[in-house]
Every structure is written in structure tokens, then in C-alpha cells.
Amino acid sequence: MTNTEPAVVCSGLVRSYGERRALDGIDLTLEQGQTLVVFGPNGAGKTTLLRVLSTLLRPSAGDASVLGSDLRKEGWKVRSQIGFLGHQSLCFGDLTARENLRYHAKLHGIENAAARVEAVLEQAGLSGRGDERVFGYSRGMLQRLAICRAVLHQPQVLLLDEPRSNLDPAAIEQVEPLIGAASGRTRVVASHDPAGGLAEADLVLGLRNGAAVLLERAAQATTEQIRELYR
């Protein structure tokens, strides 16, 4: 049976670190197949939002759900449908790229794992370097491998924290089928690029000090509104 629930729903979502509210009452609904792009200066709460939606952090108050699963009570149900790309690659430096991906394939119980590993390495342009230990990778290569890890299990929802950082134009073109709108996945993307973010967004969220100061359909948002967040 097809799941027709919204991909992401937040209602009064709060995440606190001690007395500081990193997220302060976030409300939003993102339908399946849509892209939410989150803007805001460093420390605004973008990464915290992604980590809550990925089930790595629990909400302190309010509600959040992904694909209909309440993240407070049953986040485990949806974890296998989420792909998370953060600022750390979550790959082991002493293993090769292939070994890293085979390890993650085993964690996710992926069928035909060897073929899937080769497919993502090929798409990311890493096939020829797949048997090298990761500690020797450049930052751009490591970012491409992290993208491979995030999409390896073919999740329905992708949570991407500045996914194109450290990538040159050719590498960005290579990985776009994996993480871009053409992937067909629901995406939540943290970005500092007003023009590029607006171009790929269906919905735009602007954060400042953990609070939503902008929530618009992308067609109604402007680059000037986004730049204002950083002033």
C-alpha cells in the first residue's frame, strides 16, 4: 500500500541544548517528492533540524514526523527510508571506498549489494579509485563517497547539509542524479546559496537563532529575502 502521508511535518518543534533553543517552534509541512531548502547563518539551526529529522536527535518539545512516523515514538520505523549527508562523511579512513560501502550495505540489508555499490561508485566517478583507502582521498572525493553512502540504500527522504561543498563543477554534475531533483526523492537541503537554493526548492525555510523568520513557496521567495537572513 502506497504511503500518502506528507514526507515531513513539524508542529511547534523545539530542540534545546541546555537553556539554548537551537530550534524554537518550527512549523512546516513538506509533501512527498518536494524539496525544502533551509537557509540561515551559521548557528541558525539548519544542521540541528536535519539531525532531528534523521532521528539522530530527539525533539525537546513539539512534534515531528517523517513519512507518517512520529520521531519521538517510532523513529526506528522510518530510519531505513532516510538518507543523511552531514558535515562528516561517516566513512572509515582505513577502509577502501568499496569496503566502506559494502559495510553500509550490510547494515541496511541491501540485496544485490555488490551491484548497487558499483552503480553508485560509477555515478560518482569513483570506480577507478574505489580500492584506495579513504584516508588518502581529497576533500572532494570524500564528499562524493559520503554522497554514495547516503543514497546507497535508495532512501525515500534525503537530508542534505550543504551537499555540494568541496565539489568542483564537474563533480557536481556527476552527483546531481544521486542527490538532485532528478532523483525523484523528497529532499531537505541546508544551503548558503540563495540563487541556487531557490532554483531547486519547492518550499523555502529561513532560520535565525532557531526561529523560522521565512517560510514561503519558492515561487514567492526572493534572493533579497534570503540575503536578509545573513545581515
Side-chain angles (χ1 to χ4, degrees):
M1 185 174 180
T2 302
N3 184 345
T4 59
E5 295 277 358
V8 176
V9 177
C10 298
S11 178
L13 175 62
V14 173
R15 172 65 198 192
S16 298
Y17 298 103
E19 295 184 358
R20 184 177 71 86
R21 286 192 171 191
L23 296 173
D24 192 3
I26 305 300
D27 297 304
L28 66 89
T29 299
L30 182 68
E31 300 297 334
Q32 293 191 43
Q34 291 187 331
T35 295
L36 168 69
V37 178
V38 187
F39 296 101
N42 294 334
K46 302 183 302 298
T47 295
T48 297
L49 177 61
L50 293 180
R51 288 175 65 83
V52 169
L53 295 179
S54 72
T55 76
L56 292 174
L57 292 174
R58 287 175 57 84
S60 301
D63 297 302
S65 66
V66 172
L67 299 173
S69 292
D70 184 332
L71 298 186
R72 279 174 170 274
K73 301 175 181 177
E74 50 185 16
W76 58 272
K77 285 186 177 181
V78 75
R79 203 165 286 144
S80 65
Q81 297 302 321
I82 296 171
F84 177 61
L85 177 67
H87 290 156
Q88 296 179 328
S89 71
L90 303 182
C91 295
F92 300 99
D94 285 338
L95 300 181
T96 68
R98 283 191 174 85
E99 288 169 341
N100 269 285
L101 294 181
R102 288 169 184 165
Y103 170 76
H104 284 282
K106 188 173 182 179
L107 288 180
H108 287 288
I110 296 174
E111 296 182 4
N112 301 316
R116 178 62 184 158
V117 166
E118 292 308 312
V120 294
L121 284 173
E122 178 69 26
Q123 183 63 64
L126 291 174
S127 290
R129 308 286 295 271
D131 291 325
E132 296 179 19
R133 292 188 180 183
V134 170
F135 67 72
Y137 273 17
S138 68
R139 292 179 69 182
M141 291 174 64
L142 188 58
Q143 182 73 356
R144 282 186 277 158
L145 179 60
I147 288 169
C148 291
R149 176 199 54 74
V151 304
L152 184 66
H153 57 298
Q154 303 189 77
Q156 291 185 48
V157 177
L158 274 179
L159 307 174
L160 306 170
D161 203 345
E162 300 181 67
R164 300 170 185 88
S165 62
N166 302 315
L167 298 181
D168 61 33
I172 290 173
E173 185 175 349
Q174 282 180 311
V175 300
E176 278 303 294
L178 297 175
I179 60 170
S183 69
R185 298 183 172 98
T186 304
R187 299 180 303 146
V188 181
V189 184
S191 175
H192 287 303
D193 177 8
L198 278 179
E200 66 177 327
D202 296 292
L203 187 67
V204 171
L205 173 65
L207 295 176
R208 185 184 289 142
N209 296 323
V213 296
L214 172 68
L215 182 61
E216 293 277 2
R217 294 291 168 187
Q220 278 74 55
T222 67
T223 55
E224 183 59 29
Q225 284 178 301
I226 294 166
R227 290 192 181 103
E228 186 64 31
L229 295 167
Y230 296 87
R231 292 172 182 155

Coordinates of all heavy atoms in Angstrom, one line a residue, residues 105-197:
A105 N 26.1 -1.3 3.2 CA 25.1 -2.1 2.5 C 24.7 -3.2 3.4 O 23.5 -3.6 3.5 CB 25.7 -2.7 1.2
K106 N 25.7 -3.8 4.1 CA 25.3 -4.9 5.1 C 24.5 -4.3 6.2 O 23.5 -5.0 6.6 CB 26.6 -5.5 5.6 CG 26.4 -6.7 6.5 CD 27.7 -7.4 6.8 CE 27.5 -8.7 7.6 NZ 28.8 -9.3 8.0
L107 N 24.8 -3.1 6.7 CA 24.0 -2.5 7.8 C 22.5 -2.4 7.4 O 21.6 -2.5 8.2 CB 24.6 -1.2 8.2 CG 25.9 -1.1 9.0 CD1 26.3 0.3 9.2 CD2 25.8 -1.9 10.2
H108 N 22.3 -2.0 6.1 CA 21.0 -1.8 5.6 C 20.3 -3.0 5.0 O 19.2 -3.0 4.6 CB 21.0 -0.7 4.5 CG 21.2 0.7 5.1 ND1 20.3 1.4 5.8 CD2 22.3 1.5 5.0 CE1 20.7 2.6 6.2 NE2 22.0 2.7 5.7
G109 N 21.0 -4.1 5.0 CA 20.5 -5.3 4.4 C 20.1 -5.2 2.9 O 19.1 -5.7 2.5
I110 N 21.0 -4.6 2.2 CA 20.7 -4.3 0.8 C 20.9 -5.6 0.0 O 21.9 -6.2 0.1 CB 21.6 -3.2 0.2 CG1 21.3 -1.9 0.9 CG2 21.5 -3.0 -1.3 CD1 22.3 -0.8 0.6
E111 N 19.9 -5.9 -0.9 CA 20.0 -7.1 -1.8 C 20.9 -6.7 -3.0 O 20.9 -5.5 -3.4 CB 18.7 -7.6 -2.2 CG 17.8 -8.1 -1.1 CD 16.5 -8.6 -1.6 OE1 16.2 -8.6 -2.8 OE2 15.6 -9.0 -0.7
N112 N 21.6 -7.6 -3.6 CA 22.5 -7.3 -4.7 C 23.4 -6.2 -4.4 O 23.6 -5.2 -5.1 CB 21.6 -7.0 -5.9 CG 20.7 -8.1 -6.3 OD1 21.1 -9.3 -6.4 ND2 19.5 -7.8 -6.7
A113 N 24.0 -6.2 -3.2 CA 24.8 -5.1 -2.6 C 26.0 -4.8 -3.5 O 26.3 -3.6 -3.8 CB 25.3 -5.5 -1.2
A114 N 26.6 -5.8 -4.1 CA 27.8 -5.6 -4.9 C 27.5 -4.7 -6.1 O 28.2 -3.8 -6.4 CB 28.5 -6.9 -5.3
A115 N 26.4 -5.1 -6.7 CA 26.0 -4.3 -7.9 C 25.6 -2.9 -7.6 O 25.9 -1.9 -8.3 CB 24.8 -5.0 -8.6
R116 N 24.9 -2.7 -6.4 CA 24.5 -1.4 -6.0 C 25.7 -0.5 -5.7 O 25.8 0.6 -6.0 CB 23.6 -1.5 -4.8 CG 23.1 -0.2 -4.2 CD 22.3 0.6 -5.2 NE 21.9 1.9 -4.7 CZ 21.6 3.0 -5.4 NH1 21.6 2.9 -6.8 NH2 21.3 4.1 -4.9
V117 N 26.7 -1.1 -5.0 CA 27.9 -0.4 -4.7 C 28.6 0.1 -5.9 O 29.0 1.2 -6.0 CB 28.9 -1.3 -3.8 CG1 30.3 -0.7 -3.8 CG2 28.3 -1.5 -2.4
E118 N 28.7 -0.8 -6.9 CA 29.4 -0.4 -8.2 C 28.6 0.6 -8.9 O 29.2 1.5 -9.5 CB 29.6 -1.7 -9.1 CG 30.6 -2.7 -8.5 CD 31.9 -2.1 -8.1 OE1 32.5 -1.3 -9.0 OE2 32.4 -2.3 -7.0
A119 N 27.3 0.6 -8.8 CA 26.5 1.6 -9.5 C 26.7 3.0 -9.0 O 26.9 4.0 -9.8 CB 25.0 1.2 -9.4
V120 N 26.7 3.1 -7.7 CA 26.9 4.5 -7.1 C 28.3 5.0 -7.2 O 28.6 6.1 -7.5 CB 26.4 4.5 -5.6 CG1 24.9 4.3 -5.5 CG2 27.2 3.6 -4.7
L121 N 29.3 4.1 -7.1 CA 30.7 4.5 -7.4 C 30.9 5.0 -8.8 O 31.6 6.0 -9.0 CB 31.6 3.3 -7.1 CG 31.9 2.9 -5.6 CD1 32.8 1.7 -5.6 CD2 32.6 4.1 -4.9
E122 N 30.3 4.3 -9.7 CA 30.4 4.7 -11.1 C 29.7 6.0 -11.4 O 30.3 6.9 -12.0 CB 29.7 3.6 -12.0 CG 29.7 4.0 -13.5 CD 31.0 3.9 -14.2 OE1 31.9 3.2 -13.7 OE2 31.2 4.6 -15.2
Q123 N 28.6 6.2 -10.8 CA 27.9 7.5 -11.0 C 28.7 8.7 -10.4 O 28.7 9.8 -10.9 CB 26.5 7.5 -10.3 CG 25.7 8.7 -10.5 CD 25.3 9.0 -11.9 OE1 24.6 8.2 -12.6 NE2 25.9 10.1 -12.5
A124 N 29.3 8.4 -9.2 CA 30.1 9.5 -8.6 C 31.5 9.6 -9.1 O 32.3 10.5 -8.6 CB 30.2 9.2 -7.1
G125 N 31.9 8.8 -10.1 CA 33.2 8.9 -10.7 C 34.3 8.4 -9.9 O 35.4 8.9 -10.0
L126 N 34.0 7.4 -9.0 CA 35.0 6.9 -8.1 C 35.3 5.4 -8.4 O 36.1 4.9 -7.6 CB 34.5 7.0 -6.6 CG 34.3 8.4 -6.0 CD1 33.7 8.3 -4.7 CD2 35.7 9.1 -5.9
S127 N 34.8 4.9 -9.4 CA 35.1 3.4 -9.7 C 36.6 3.1 -9.8 O 37.1 2.2 -9.2 CB 34.4 3.0 -11.0 OG 33.0 3.0 -10.8
G128 N 37.3 4.0 -10.4 CA 38.7 3.8 -10.6 C 39.6 4.0 -9.4 O 40.7 3.6 -9.3
R129 N 39.0 4.6 -8.3 CA 39.7 4.8 -7.1 C 39.1 4.1 -5.9 O 39.4 4.3 -4.8 CB 39.7 6.4 -6.8 CG 40.2 7.3 -7.9 CD 41.7 7.2 -8.1 NE 42.4 7.7 -6.9 CZ 42.7 9.0 -6.8 NH1 42.4 9.9 -7.7 NH2 43.4 9.4 -5.7
G130 N 38.2 3.2 -6.2 CA 37.4 2.5 -5.2 C 38.1 1.6 -4.3 O 37.7 1.2 -3.2
D131 N 39.3 1.1 -4.7 CA 40.1 0.2 -3.9 C 41.2 0.9 -3.2 O 42.1 0.3 -2.6 CB 40.7 -0.9 -4.8 CG 39.6 -1.9 -5.3 OD1 38.6 -2.1 -4.5 OD2 39.7 -2.3 -6.4
E132 N 41.2 2.2 -3.1 CA 42.1 3.0 -2.4 C 41.6 3.3 -1.0 O 40.4 3.5 -0.8 CB 42.5 4.4 -3.1 CG 43.1 4.2 -4.4 CD 43.4 5.5 -5.1 OE1 43.4 6.6 -4.4 OE2 43.6 5.5 -6.3
R133 N 42.4 3.3 0.0 CA 42.0 3.7 1.4 C 41.5 5.1 1.4 O 42.2 6.0 0.8 CB 43.1 3.4 2.4 CG 43.4 1.9 2.6 CD 44.3 1.7 3.7 NE 44.6 0.3 3.9 CZ 45.4 -0.2 4.8 NH1 45.9 0.6 5.7 NH2 45.6 -1.5 4.9
V134 N 40.5 5.3 2.2 CA 39.8 6.6 2.1 C 40.7 7.7 2.8 O 40.5 8.9 2.4 CB 38.4 6.5 2.8 CG1 37.8 7.8 3.1 CG2 37.5 5.6 2.0
F135 N 41.6 7.4 3.7 CA 42.4 8.4 4.3 C 43.2 9.2 3.3 O 43.7 10.3 3.6 CB 43.3 7.9 5.4 CG 44.4 7.0 5.0 CD1 45.5 7.4 4.3 CD2 44.3 5.6 5.3 CE1 46.5 6.6 3.9 CE2 45.4 4.7 4.9 CZ 46.5 5.2 4.2
G136 N 43.4 8.7 2.1 CA 44.2 9.3 1.1 C 43.3 10.2 0.1 O 43.9 10.8 -0.8
Y137 N 42.1 10.2 0.3 CA 41.1 10.9 -0.5 C 41.2 12.4 -0.3 O 41.4 12.9 0.8 CB 39.7 10.5 -0.3 CG 39.2 9.3 -1.1 CD1 40.1 8.4 -1.7 CD2 37.9 9.0 -1.2 CE1 39.7 7.3 -2.4 CE2 37.4 7.9 -2.0 CZ 38.4 7.1 -2.5 OH 37.9 6.0 -3.3
S138 N 41.0 13.2 -1.4 CA 40.9 14.6 -1.2 C 39.5 14.9 -0.6 O 38.6 14.0 -0.5 CB 41.0 15.3 -2.6 OG 39.8 14.9 -3.4
R139 N 39.3 16.2 -0.2 CA 38.0 16.5 0.4 C 36.9 16.3 -0.6 O 35.8 15.9 -0.2 CB 38.1 18.0 0.9 CG 39.0 18.2 2.1 CD 39.1 19.6 2.5 NE 37.8 20.0 3.2 CZ 37.6 21.2 3.6 NH1 38.5 22.2 3.5 NH2 36.4 21.5 4.2
G140 N 37.1 16.6 -1.9 CA 36.1 16.5 -2.9 C 35.7 15.0 -3.1 O 34.6 14.6 -3.2
M141 N 36.7 14.1 -3.1 CA 36.5 12.7 -3.3 C 35.7 12.2 -2.1 O 34.8 11.3 -2.2 CB 37.8 12.0 -3.5 CG 38.5 12.2 -4.8 SD 40.1 11.5 -4.9 CE 39.7 9.7 -4.8
L142 N 36.1 12.6 -0.9 CA 35.5 12.1 0.3 C 34.0 12.6 0.3 O 33.1 11.8 0.8 CB 36.2 12.7 1.6 CG 35.7 12.1 2.9 CD1 35.9 10.6 3.0 CD2 36.5 12.8 4.0
Q143 N 33.7 13.8 -0.2 CA 32.3 14.2 -0.2 C 31.5 13.4 -1.2 O 30.4 13.0 -1.0 CB 32.3 15.7 -0.7 CG 30.9 16.3 -0.7 CD 30.3 16.6 0.6 OE1 30.9 16.3 1.7 NE2 29.1 17.2 0.7
R144 N 32.1 13.0 -2.3 CA 31.5 12.2 -3.3 C 31.2 10.8 -2.7 O 30.1 10.2 -2.9 CB 32.3 12.0 -4.6 CG 32.2 13.2 -5.5 CD 32.9 13.0 -6.8 NE 34.3 13.3 -6.7 CZ 35.2 12.8 -7.5 NH1 34.9 11.9 -8.5 NH2 36.5 13.1 -7.4
L145 N 32.1 10.3 -1.9 CA 31.9 9.0 -1.3 C 30.8 9.1 -0.2 O 30.0 8.2 -0.1 CB 33.2 8.5 -0.6 CG 33.1 7.1 0.1 CD1 32.7 6.0 -0.8 CD2 34.5 6.8 0.8
A146 N 30.8 10.2 0.5 CA 29.7 10.4 1.5 C 28.4 10.4 0.9 O 27.4 9.9 1.4 CB 30.0 11.6 2.3
I147 N 28.3 11.0 -0.3 CA 27.0 11.0 -1.1 C 26.6 9.6 -1.5 O 25.5 9.2 -1.3 CB 27.2 11.9 -2.3 CG1 27.2 13.4 -1.9 CG2 26.0 11.7 -3.3 CD1 27.6 14.4 -3.0
C148 N 27.6 8.8 -1.9 CA 27.3 7.4 -2.3 C 26.8 6.7 -1.0 O 25.8 5.9 -1.2 CB 28.6 6.7 -2.7 SG 29.2 7.3 -4.3
R149 N 27.4 6.9 0.1 CA 26.9 6.3 1.3 C 25.4 6.7 1.6 O 24.6 5.8 2.0 CB 27.8 6.6 2.5 CG 27.3 6.0 3.8 CD 27.9 6.8 5.0 NE 27.8 8.2 5.0 CZ 26.6 8.8 5.2 NH1 25.5 8.1 5.6 NH2 26.6 10.1 5.2
A150 N 25.1 8.0 1.5 CA 23.8 8.5 1.9 C 22.7 7.9 1.0 O 21.6 7.8 1.4 CB 23.8 10.0 1.8
V151 N 23.0 7.7 -0.3 CA 22.0 7.2 -1.2 C 22.0 5.7 -1.5 O 21.2 5.2 -2.2 CB 22.0 8.0 -2.5 CG1 22.0 9.5 -2.3 CG2 23.3 7.6 -3.3
L152 N 23.0 5.0 -0.9 CA 23.2 3.6 -1.2 C 22.0 2.8 -1.1 O 21.7 1.9 -1.9 CB 24.4 3.1 -0.3 CG 24.8 1.7 -0.6 CD1 25.5 1.5 -2.0 CD2 25.8 1.2 0.5
H153 N 21.2 3.0 0.0 CA 20.1 2.2 0.3 C 18.8 2.7 -0.3 O 17.7 2.2 0.0 CB 19.9 2.0 1.8 CG 19.8 3.3 2.5 ND1 20.8 4.3 2.6 CD2 18.7 3.9 3.3 CE1 20.4 5.3 3.3 NE2 19.1 5.1 3.7
Q154 N 18.9 3.6 -1.3 CA 17.8 4.2 -2.0 C 16.7 4.7 -1.1 O 15.5 4.2 -1.2 CB 17.3 3.2 -3.0 CG 18.4 2.7 -4.0 CD 17.9 1.9 -5.1 OE1 17.3 2.4 -6.1 NE2 18.1 0.6 -5.1
P155 N 17.0 5.6 -0.2 CA 16.0 6.2 0.7 C 15.0 7.0 0.0 O 15.2 7.6 -1.1 CB 16.8 7.0 1.7 CG 18.0 7.5 0.8 CD 18.3 6.3 -0.1
Q156 N 13.8 7.1 0.6 CA 12.7 8.0 0.1 C 13.0 9.4 0.4 O 12.6 10.3 -0.3 CB 11.4 7.6 0.7 CG 10.9 6.2 0.2 CD 9.5 6.0 0.8 OE1 8.6 6.8 0.7 NE2 9.3 4.8 1.3
V157 N 13.6 9.7 1.5 CA 13.9 11.1 2.0 C 15.4 11.3 2.1 O 16.1 10.5 2.8 CB 13.2 11.3 3.4 CG1 13.5 12.7 3.9 CG2 11.7 11.1 3.2
L158 N 15.9 12.4 1.5 CA 17.3 12.7 1.6 C 17.4 14.0 2.5 O 16.7 15.0 2.2 CB 17.9 13.0 0.2 CG 18.4 11.8 -0.5 CD1 18.9 12.3 -1.9 CD2 19.5 11.1 0.2
L159 N 18.3 14.0 3.4 CA 18.6 15.2 4.3 C 20.0 15.5 4.0 O 20.9 14.8 4.3 CB 18.4 14.8 5.8 CG 17.0 14.2 6.1 CD1 17.0 13.7 7.6 CD2 15.9 15.1 5.9
L160 N 20.2 16.7 3.4 CA 21.5 17.1 2.8 C 22.0 18.4 3.4 O 21.4 19.4 3.2 CB 21.4 17.2 1.3 CG 20.8 16.0 0.6 CD1 20.5 16.4 -0.9 CD2 21.7 14.8 0.6
D161 N 23.1 18.4 4.1 CA 23.7 19.5 4.7 C 24.8 20.1 3.8 O 25.9 19.5 3.8 CB 24.2 19.2 6.1 CG 24.3 20.4 7.0 OD1 24.3 21.5 6.5 OD2 24.5 20.2 8.2
E162 N 24.5 21.1 3.0 CA 25.5 21.7 2.1 C 26.1 20.6 1.2 O 27.3 20.4 1.2 CB 26.5 22.5 2.8 CG 25.9 23.7 3.6 CD 27.0 24.5 4.3 OE1 27.8 25.1 3.6 OE2 27.0 24.5 5.5
P163 N 25.3 19.9 0.5 CA 25.8 18.7 -0.2 C 26.9 18.9 -1.3 O 27.6 18.0 -1.6 CB 24.5 18.1 -0.8 CG 23.6 19.2 -1.0 CD 23.9 20.1 0.2
R164 N 26.9 20.1 -1.8 CA 27.9 20.4 -2.9 C 29.2 21.0 -2.5 O 30.0 21.4 -3.3 CB 27.2 21.2 -4.0 CG 25.9 20.5 -4.6 CD 25.1 21.4 -5.5 NE 23.9 20.8 -5.9 CZ 22.7 20.8 -5.2 NH1 22.7 21.4 -4.1 NH2 21.7 20.2 -5.7
S165 N 29.3 21.1 -1.1 CA 30.6 21.7 -0.6 C 31.8 20.9 -1.0 O 31.7 19.6 -1.1 CB 30.5 21.9 0.9 OG 30.4 20.6 1.5
N166 N 32.9 21.5 -1.3 CA 34.1 20.8 -1.7 C 34.1 20.2 -3.1 O 35.0 19.5 -3.4 CB 34.5 19.8 -0.6 CG 34.7 20.4 0.7 OD1 35.3 21.4 0.9 ND2 34.2 19.7 1.7
L167 N 33.0 20.4 -3.8 CA 32.9 19.7 -5.1 C 33.2 20.8 -6.2 O 32.6 21.9 -6.2 CB 31.5 19.1 -5.3 CG 31.1 18.0 -4.4 CD1 29.8 17.5 -4.7 CD2 32.2 16.9 -4.4
D168 N 34.0 20.4 -7.2 CA 34.2 21.2 -8.4 C 33.0 21.1 -9.4 O 32.1 20.2 -9.2 CB 35.5 21.0 -9.1 CG 35.6 19.5 -9.6 OD1 34.6 19.0 -10.1 OD2 36.7 19.0 -9.6
P169 N 32.8 21.9 -10.4 CA 31.7 21.8 -11.3 C 31.5 20.5 -11.9 O 30.3 20.0 -12.0 CB 31.9 22.9 -12.3 CG 32.8 23.9 -11.6 CD 33.6 23.1 -10.6
A170 N 32.6 19.8 -12.3 CA 32.4 18.5 -12.9 C 31.9 17.5 -11.9 O 31.0 16.6 -12.3 CB 33.8 18.1 -13.5
A171 N 32.4 17.5 -10.7 CA 31.9 16.6 -9.7 C 30.4 16.8 -9.4 O 29.7 15.9 -9.2 CB 32.8 16.7 -8.4
I172 N 30.0 18.1 -9.3 CA 28.6 18.4 -9.0 C 27.7 17.8 -10.1 O 26.7 17.2 -9.8 CB 28.4 20.0 -8.9 CG1 29.1 20.5 -7.7 CG2 26.9 20.3 -9.0 CD1 29.1 22.0 -7.6
E173 N 28.2 18.0 -11.4 CA 27.4 17.4 -12.5 C 27.3 15.9 -12.3 O 26.2 15.3 -12.6 CB 28.0 17.8 -13.8 CG 27.2 17.3 -15.0 CD 27.8 17.9 -16.3 OE1 28.8 18.7 -16.2 OE2 27.4 17.4 -17.4
Q174 N 28.4 15.2 -11.9 CA 28.3 13.8 -11.7 C 27.4 13.3 -10.7 O 26.6 12.3 -10.9 CB 29.8 13.3 -11.4 CG 30.7 13.2 -12.5 CD 32.1 12.7 -12.0 OE1 32.6 13.2 -11.1 NE2 32.6 11.7 -12.8
V175 N 27.3 14.0 -9.5 CA 26.5 13.5 -8.4 C 25.0 14.0 -8.5 O 24.2 13.5 -7.7 CB 27.1 13.9 -7.0 CG1 28.5 13.3 -6.9 CG2 27.1 15.4 -6.8
E176 N 24.7 15.0 -9.3 CA 23.4 15.5 -9.4 C 22.3 14.4 -9.6 O 21.2 14.5 -8.9 CB 23.2 16.6 -10.5 CG 23.7 17.9 -10.1 CD 23.0 18.5 -8.8 OE1 21.8 18.7 -8.9 OE2 23.7 18.6 -7.8
P177 N 22.5 13.4 -10.4 CA 21.5 12.4 -10.5 C 21.2 11.6 -9.2 O 20.2 11.0 -9.0 CB 22.0 11.4 -11.6 CG 22.9 12.3 -12.4 CD 23.6 13.2 -11.4
L178 N 22.2 11.6 -8.3 CA 22.1 11.0 -7.0 C 21.4 11.8 -6.0 O 20.6 11.3 -5.1 CB 23.4 10.6 -6.5 CG 24.2 9.6 -7.3 CD1 25.6 9.4 -6.7 CD2 23.5 8.2 -7.4
I179 N 21.6 13.1 -6.0 CA 21.1 14.0 -4.9 C 20.2 15.1 -5.4 O 19.6 15.8 -4.6 CB 22.2 14.6 -4.0 CG1 23.2 15.4 -4.9 CG2 23.0 13.5 -3.3 CD1 24.2 16.2 -4.1
G180 N 20.2 15.3 -6.7 CA 19.4 16.5 -7.2 C 17.9 16.2 -7.4 O 17.4 15.1 -7.0
A181 N 17.2 17.1 -7.9 CA 15.7 17.0 -8.0 C 15.4 15.8 -8.9 O 14.4 15.1 -8.8 CB 15.1 18.3 -8.6
A182 N 16.3 15.5 -9.9 CA 16.0 14.4 -10.8 C 16.0 13.1 -10.2 O 15.5 12.1 -10.7 CB 17.1 14.4 -11.9
S183 N 16.5 13.0 -8.9 CA 16.5 11.7 -8.2 C 15.1 11.3 -7.9 O 14.8 10.1 -7.6 CB 17.3 11.8 -6.9 OG 16.7 12.7 -6.0
G184 N 14.1 12.3 -7.8 CA 12.8 12.0 -7.5 C 12.5 11.8 -6.1 O 11.3 11.5 -5.7
R185 N 13.5 12.0 -5.2 CA 13.3 11.8 -3.8 C 12.8 13.1 -3.1 O 13.1 14.2 -3.6 CB 14.6 11.4 -3.1 CG 15.1 10.0 -3.6 CD 16.4 9.7 -2.9 NE 16.8 8.3 -3.2 CZ 17.7 8.0 -4.1 NH1 18.4 8.9 -4.7 NH2 18.0 6.7 -4.4
T186 N 12.2 13.0 -2.0 CA 11.9 14.1 -1.1 C 13.3 14.6 -0.6 O 14.1 13.8 -0.1 CB 11.0 13.8 0.0 OG1 9.8 13.2 -0.5 CG2 10.7 15.0 0.9
R187 N 13.5 15.9 -0.5 CA 14.8 16.4 -0.1 C 14.6 17.6 0.9 O 13.8 18.4 0.7 CB 15.7 16.8 -1.3 CG 16.0 15.7 -2.3 CD 16.9 16.2 -3.4 NE 16.2 17.3 -4.1 CZ 16.9 18.4 -4.6 NH1 18.2 18.4 -4.5 NH2 16.2 19.4 -5.2
V188 N 15.4 17.6 1.9 CA 15.6 18.8 2.8 C 17.1 19.1 2.7 O 18.0 18.3 3.0 CB 15.2 18.5 4.2 CG1 15.4 19.7 5.1 CG2 13.8 18.0 4.3
V189 N 17.3 20.3 2.1 CA 18.7 20.7 1.8 C 19.1 22.0 2.6 O 18.4 23.0 2.5 CB 18.8 21.0 0.3 CG1 20.3 21.4 -0.1 CG2 18.3 19.8 -0.5
A190 N 20.1 22.0 3.4 CA 20.6 23.2 4.0 C 21.6 23.8 3.0 O 22.5 23.2 2.5 CB 21.4 22.8 5.3
S191 N 21.4 25.1 2.8 CA 22.2 25.8 1.8 C 22.6 27.2 2.2 O 21.8 27.9 3.0 CB 21.4 25.9 0.5 OG 22.1 26.6 -0.5
H192 N 23.7 27.8 1.7 CA 24.0 29.2 1.8 C 24.0 29.9 0.5 O 24.5 31.0 0.3 CB 25.4 29.3 2.4 CG 25.5 29.0 3.9 ND1 24.8 29.6 4.8 CD2 26.3 28.1 4.5 CE1 25.1 29.1 6.0 NE2 26.0 28.2 5.9
D193 N 23.4 29.2 -0.5 CA 23.5 29.7 -1.9 C 22.0 30.2 -2.3 O 21.2 29.4 -2.7 CB 23.9 28.6 -2.9 CG 23.9 29.0 -4.3 OD1 23.7 30.2 -4.6 OD2 24.1 28.2 -5.2
P194 N 21.7 31.5 -2.1 CA 20.4 32.0 -2.4 C 19.8 31.6 -3.8 O 18.7 31.1 -3.9 CB 20.5 33.5 -2.2 CG 21.6 33.7 -1.2 CD 22.6 32.6 -1.6
A195 N 20.6 31.9 -4.8 CA 20.1 31.7 -6.2 C 20.0 30.2 -6.5 O 19.0 29.7 -7.0 CB 21.0 32.4 -7.2
G196 N 21.0 29.4 -6.1 CA 21.0 28.0 -6.4 C 19.9 27.3 -5.6 O 19.2 26.4 -6.1
G197 N 19.8 27.7 -4.3 CA 18.8 27.1 -3.5 C 17.4 27.3 -3.9 O 16.5 26.4 -4.0

